Amino acid sequence: MGYVVEIGAGTMFPDPKLVGRKGMRLMELAETEEVNVPSGAVATTETYEAFMDNIDIVDRDLPWMDETGDVDVDWIQGEVERSSRSRGQVLEDIHSTTEEVFQRTEVPEDARDDIVEALDGSDNGFIARSNAVNEDHYLDAGAGQMESQDFSSAVDFDDAYKTVLTSAFRPKSLSTFVEDDLFDGFGSMAVVLQEKVDARGGGVSFSTDQNDSELLNISAADSPWDAVESEVNDNFYVDKEALREDRDQLSWDHKQVEEEAGYRLSDDQVDEVARVNHLIEQMYPQDESMDTEFAFDEEGDLYIVQTRPYTGRIDEEVDFEIDDTGSSYRIVEEEDGDREVINEVDKADVLGDTERGTRGSGIYEAEAAVVTDADVDGYELEGGGSLEEWDDEYVLVVPNTYDSWDHEIGENVQAVVATEADKNSHAANAFDDFGATYVSQIEENPEEVLESGETVYIAANPDRGFIARGEQR
């Protein structure tokens, strides 16, 4: 079908091997009457293959790619084992070299001309989104693994396109490939080139809440891009029975995260987001939950900017409750109608707690790795060092987590206490891969009073979670 396929051009049954899974779903949604999708196009896998033909992989000495430009996981695993450099440094060197080669490689002229022609002018600019063949798969979505990049006009798409391609080789993505048994890499790359919505608000919605399969979850923010970075103002938990029965009136619980917010969803907007995301879930019945990013423009119109399957844990069986007595938290197990208190933690020892801010469940007692400062560029570990060096089981205590460096965290992490984060963020998605419990939206800041190496106690279930100082078992 060529180098580019337009979104909303009446494409029926789009081929994910050509337009990627993200592009495929956007094209399918664009053909429905109920869903608005921003205009744009997909630079297809044929564009990627033509771009890779412009790189002589052997002469450029890129041994971590195969002849198609996909990741050669065996080579990377071998390099990590034989190198005197740390695993993180090996992956960073691969990324920086790939980025250098990609940035000086030209998009083939005929492909470039087709893409520029397909993108109409936009007052708001565009955004390039990763859209690999194996990305957004119903077995493993790979959410947050690769980057998006905005650009101002159609003729300026080149740098954004190359940035998205390069992000498949950044340390986080490579780390996933090395450890993941599902597939060796993202496969051939398509890229979504989408007109940006002049958003007045937005967020992310999970058609099935991670902790309760009878709820739909909406995290609302000032814009769709902010929501995945955990700048969440409000959470809404919508009753799915009312959605299934298509009732005129929906019901939900509202949890306000930020007292002051630039944008808040109205009741009608919560209703609209819930109904559209429920419709999307019905369109893709093989998926337990659909992770959908949305935006409202200045006219109040709802746009779906991307949707993918959520492939983390959902509605895990929990064998304990956390009862609040007022002065303590009691951990209670129930069996055959009998309730047994297995532990009680005095609130004087509790450093912070949350309601409905958890992802996963468990009880842990381990040393704390305390991060005092974190942003997209990195983190500062109290006491110095790196999370990669933490050999024993530990609990990560941090203001916020970012998917740019969570590949350093490793499988020894038992739980994460991210005080300013949100359980629906892309970074939180990564901890499902480690099987770690995520505890977020804590008003207190335990990272400010703890030191790395101190023992902490974590208890979390779908309703509540807390962190306490010292041995509590």
Side-chain angles (χ1 to χ4, degrees):
M1 292 181 65
Y3 294 123
V4 62
V5 178
E6 293 187 41
I7 297 171
T11 303
M12 302 301 293
F13 309 111
D15 183 1
K17 293 181 180 179
L18 181 72
V19 300
R21 295 180 186 277
K22 186 177 284 122
M24 175 192 73
R25 292 190 180 92
L26 287 172
M27 290 176 184
E28 290 171 338
L29 292 179
E31 298 308 312
T32 69
E33 295 181 356
E34 298 88 350
V35 182
N36 289 328
V37 173
S39 62
V42 173
T44 68
T45 54
E46 290 187 15
T47 299
Y48 178 67
E49 289 160 9
F51 177 82
M52 296 307 298
D53 285 343
N54 280 355
I55 302 174
D56 188 331
I57 293 177
V58 175
D59 289 347
R60 296 294 189 184
D61 193 24
L62 302 179
W64 47 86
M65 295 183 190
D66 64 20
E67 64 277 4
T68 68
D70 198 7
V71 176
D72 186 340
V73 174
D74 291 337
W75 188 94
I76 295 175
Q77 288 173 325
E79 181 67 9
V80 169
E81 293 171 0
R82 60 181 168 259
S83 177
S84 59
R85 295 167 294 166
S86 69
R87 177 174 176 274
Q89 188 58 57
V90 169
L91 300 183
E92 182 54 49
D93 289 348
I94 290 172
H95 174 250
S96 60
T97 303
T98 305
E99 181 176 39
E100 178 186 348
V101 173
F102 277 25
Q103 285 298 329
R104 66 174 179 245
T105 300
E106 297 295 330
V107 177
E109 185 174 355
D110 48 354
R112 190 180 191 283
D113 290 345
D114 288 354
I115 291 168
V116 171
E117 183 179 351
L119 297 178
D120 292 328
S122 169
D123 293 335
N124 303 319
F126 299 87
I127 187 162
R129 295 182 178 277
S130 62
N131 182 31
V133 169
N134 286 336
E135 189 183 3
D136 293 347
H137 194 279
Y138 74 96
L139 293 176
D140 190 338
Q145 299 291 339
M146 291 194 284
E147 296 180 11
S148 299
Q149 178 70 48
D150 57 4
F151 57 102
S152 58
S153 65
V155 295
D156 298 321
F157 84 90
D158 304 69
D159 286 346
Y161 178 78
K162 295 173 189 178
T163 295
V164 171
L165 298 188
T166 304
S167 68
F169 297 88
R170 66 177 180 161
K172 177 181 176 61
S173 302
L174 294 174
S175 180
T176 300
F177 300 154
V178 171
E179 296 171 358
D180 200 328
D181 293 331
L182 177 61
F183 49 73
D184 288 343
F186 279 124
S188 189
M189 292 275 290
V191 175
V192 170
L193 304 168
Q194 186 181 65
E195 183 176 350
K196 291 177 68 174
V197 178
D198 186 13
R200 294 297 180 264
V204 60
S205 175
F206 290 81
S207 63
T208 299
D209 182 70
Q210 300 96 330
N211 291 333
D212 189 337
S213 60
E214 289 303 307
L215 297 175
L216 177 148
N217 179 297
I218 300 171
S219 291
D222 290 343
S223 74
W225 328 122
D226 289 348
V228 296
E229 294 298 339
S230 306
E231 301 295 333
V232 171
N233 299 326
D234 301 273
N235 280 319
F236 301 90
Y237 300 90
V238 183
D239 176 22
K240 290 193 70 171
E241 183 177 1
L243 285 165
R244 288 191 292 267
E245 295 177 358
D246 196 23
R247 297 178 192 167
D248 292 336
Q249 185 70 41
L250 300 182
S251 61
W252 57 78
D253 291 334
H254 173 210
K255 180 182 178 182
Q256 181 174 291
V257 180
E258 296 289 341
E259 291 186 8
E260 297 184 4
Y263 191 89
R264 294 203 186 278
L265 298 186
S266 67
D267 286 352
D268 286 345
Q269 288 174 325
V270 174
D271 183 287
E272 185 177 9
V273 171
R275 292 184 190 276
V276 168
N277 201 7
H278 182 62
L279 170 67
I280 293 172
E281 182 183 60
Q282 292 176 310
M283 290 177 64
Y284 303 101
Q286 75 271 27
D287 303 315
E288 287 190 270
S289 179
M290 294 301 292
D291 167 1
T292 300
E293 292 180 33
F294 63 90
F296 283 98
D297 68 7
E298 59 184 349
E299 303 297 328
D301 292 329
L302 173 65
Y303 286 86
I304 300 304
V305 297
Q306 68 171 327
T307 188
R308 62 165 66 88
Y310 170 70
T311 54
R313 297 166 290 176
I314 292 180
D315 213 5
E316 281 190 308
E317 184 175 346
V318 180
D319 57 5
F320 67 92
E321 298 178 2
I322 303 174
D323 291 346
D324 186 351
T325 70
S327 61
S328 67
Y329 283 124
R330 287 178 180 165
I331 314 300
V332 181
E333 287 185 348
E334 183 172 347
E335 186 174 356
D336 298 328
D338 296 327
R339 289 169 54 86
E340 178 184 359
V341 177
I342 61 172
N343 201 10
E344 185 166 6
V345 178
D346 194 305
K347 284 193 175 180
D349 294 329
V350 173
L351 301 175
D353 53 16
T354 183
E355 292 186 7
R356 277 187 166 166
T358 63
R359 189 159 170 171
S361 301
I363 300 171
Y364 311 94
E365 192 168 85
E367 291 185 352
V370 180
V371 169
T372 55
D373 189 29
D375 58 28
V376 69
D377 294 321
Y379 61 89
E380 183 176 332
L381 188 62
E382 193 281 328
S386 166
L387 291 171
E388 287 185 297
E389 301 167 359
W390 212 281
D391 294 328
D392 298 324
E393 293 182 349
Y394 70 95
V395 171
L396 175 62
V397 185
V398 61
N400 210 335
T401 53
Y402 296 86
D403 58 20
S404 55
W405 51 262
D406 62 16
H407 63 279
E408 297 184 20
I409 291 168
E411 295 185 350
N412 288 327
V413 64
Q414 301 298 293
V416 179
V417 178
T419 56
E420 300 170 10
D422 184 80
K423 69 176 185 178
N424 289 339
S425 68
H426 279 170
N429 285 345
F431 293 99
D432 277 320
D433 296 334
F434 301 127
T437 297
Y438 199 81
V439 183
S440 66
Q441 296 179 356
I442 295 177
E443 292 187 6
E444 303 81 3
N445 292 93
E447 71 276 5
E448 296 180 359
V449 298
L450 284 170
E451 295 181 358
S452 291
E454 282 193 68
T455 298
V456 293
Y457 178 89
I458 310 293
N461 66 16
D463 297 319
R464 179 177 284 117
F466 69 86
I467 175 173
R469 189 197 298 268
E471 298 181 2
Q472 299 289 340
R473 292 186 185 273

